[in-house]
Amino acid sequence: MSNTTLNLTAPAHSGPPPWYEYPECAVAPYGFIFYYGVKVLNLAVGTPCNILVMWQIAGRKADASTSDIFIFNLAVLDAYFCLMTPIEMVNRLLLGSSKLWKFQRFAYGVKDFAPAFLVCICVDRYMAVIHPVLFTQIRDKKIRIGISAVAWGIILGYGLTKSLIKVMSATKISSGVILTTFVIMVFCNISVIWALRRSVMGKEEMHPVKKKAFRMVLVILGIIVFNYLPPVAILPFSSYFTFMEYRCQVSTSVFAIMDLSSSIEPLLYISKMDFSKARCCRRKSAETDVQV
């Protein structure tokens, strides 16, 4: 979420509550209530779910998906963002430390680029379905580790930049990243859905493996639209809102919806997790699941 430096020097008994970014927001608290509700939800639900995803992927061996490396890195990023919630709330409500605020801006910068790993997952599934011959030639895990390393370099570089300079100067960059990644993810997922649908035309029933892939890609597309369409659709029209409407209601709510992905993404993965293959059970299955 894009934020500006807070003025937390006012005493607790006067002025707006300290979680407001501007005095004008005192008359419109609902956006901030929703925002902090999402933050608490991410801490309570997103943190353990992302840790469970990391634990489960770390225990996978023979039946691991090519996308698991990207999913693991996304879970690490989301878990870190969720764990920053107590620090942010204490700093906003009690401390008002400029040094801690830099850590908050860094966390927001990291989250701004979280869609990079979603793009990697979508492109990986796109190549597997649309270009299977080429995909078999680039299944090497080292390639995905290298791509993840490059993604982390960009993410950390942007996070450091956002933590050290004025936040507003990075807003256009984050908006451009969200728009670009949204277009790529939608294209990849629609292409996969279209290809899977065409593969069963004239047949009575879709193959179970393809049906599972189809449903999962469809769910991911829904999450992409739900979490990332609002900022893509609204941010370009920020000039049409009043200062109070945009800063106190619209941007706060839109970025809260995007932050909610830190809980929705691991919940999606867990919902299709086969616990019989988890490390604690030590059971092997002859079937190979398609993991998206």
Side-chain angles (χ1 to χ4, degrees), residues 109-178:
V110 167
K111 183 60 179 174
D112 285 345
F113 268 70
F117 287 117
L118 277 176
V119 169
C120 292
I121 297 169
C122 293
V123 172
D124 189 70
R125 295 299 87 200
Y126 171 83
M127 295 298 297
V129 175
I130 308 299
H131 304 287
V133 176
L134 178 60
F135 179 76
T136 57
Q137 300 174 2
I138 56 174
R139 289 179 61 92
D140 191 351
K141 183 183 296 184
K142 294 180 181 179
I143 295 177
R144 286 157 182 80
I145 293 175
I147 294 173
S148 298
V150 172
W152 272 113
I154 296 173
I155 290 170
L156 296 177
Y158 176 78
L160 288 172
T161 301
K162 189 166 185 173
S163 69
L164 297 175
I165 66 175
K166 292 183 178 180
V167 178
M168 292 305 296
S169 61
T171 301
K172 292 183 179 180
I173 297 177
S174 61
S175 299
V177 169
I178 295 171

Side-chain angles (χ1 to χ4, degrees), residues 46-72:
T47 302
C49 286
N50 280 293
I51 292 174
L52 178 59
V53 169
M54 289 185 283
W55 173 82
Q56 202 272 344
I57 292 177
R60 298 173 68 90
K61 293 182 180 179
D63 59 345
S65 165
T66 55
S67 299
D68 278 353
I69 294 175
F70 302 132
I71 296 173
F72 182 89

Side-chain angles (χ1 to χ4, degrees), residues 52-259:
L52 178 59
V53 169
M54 289 185 283
W55 173 82
Q56 202 272 344
I57 292 177
R60 298 173 68 90
K61 293 182 180 179
D63 59 345
S65 165
T66 55
S67 299
D68 278 353
I69 294 175
F70 302 132
I71 296 173
F72 182 89
N73 282 280
L74 180 62
V76 171
L77 190 153
D78 281 336
Y80 164 73
F81 183 74
C82 293
L83 288 171
M84 283 296 295
T85 295
I87 297 176
E88 176 179 351
M89 296 184 74
V90 169
N91 192 40
R92 285 183 182 252
L93 298 176
L94 299 175
L95 302 178
S97 169
S98 59
K99 293 182 178 179
L100 285 179
W101 182 237
K102 290 182 180 180
F103 284 103
Q104 294 172 226
R105 291 205 302 262
F106 175 78
Y108 283 122
V110 167
K111 183 60 179 174
D112 285 345
F113 268 70
F117 287 117
L118 277 176
V119 169
C120 292
I121 297 169
C122 293
V123 172
D124 189 70
R125 295 299 87 200
Y126 171 83
M127 295 298 297
V129 175
I130 308 299
H131 304 287
V133 176
L134 178 60
F135 179 76
T136 57
Q137 300 174 2
I138 56 174
R139 289 179 61 92
D140 191 351
K141 183 183 296 184
K142 294 180 181 179
I143 295 177
R144 286 157 182 80
I145 293 175
I147 294 173
S148 298
V150 172
W152 272 113
I154 296 173
I155 290 170
L156 296 177
Y158 176 78
L160 288 172
T161 301
K162 189 166 185 173
S163 69
L164 297 175
I165 66 175
K166 292 183 178 180
V167 178
M168 292 305 296
S169 61
T171 301
K172 292 183 179 180
I173 297 177
S174 61
S175 299
V177 169
I178 295 171
L179 176 60
T180 302
T181 55
F182 176 82
V183 171
I184 296 174
M185 288 187 290
V186 169
F187 169 78
C188 290
N189 281 278
I190 291 179
S191 298
V192 170
I193 292 171
W194 180 253
L196 291 175
R197 289 294 295 175
R198 288 186 60 185
S199 67
V200 297
M201 286 183 178
K203 300 180 181 179
E204 295 182 358
E205 188 176 355
M206 183 183 293
H207 189 278
V209 174
K210 289 186 176 181
K211 183 183 292 186
K212 186 175 182 180
F214 175 77
R215 289 175 177 174
M216 186 51 57
V217 171
L218 193 63
V219 171
I220 290 179
L221 179 60
I223 291 177
I224 291 170
V225 172
F226 175 78
N227 288 118
Y228 295 99
L229 180 59
V232 169
I234 293 176
L235 290 180
F237 301 97
S238 59
S239 60
Y240 291 90
F241 297 97
T242 65
F243 179 88
M244 190 277 291
E245 289 174 340
Y246 184 74
R247 293 298 174 191
C248 305
Q249 297 176 318
V250 175
S251 64
T252 305
S253 301
V254 162
F255 283 105
I257 293 173
M258 194 173 75
D259 292 349

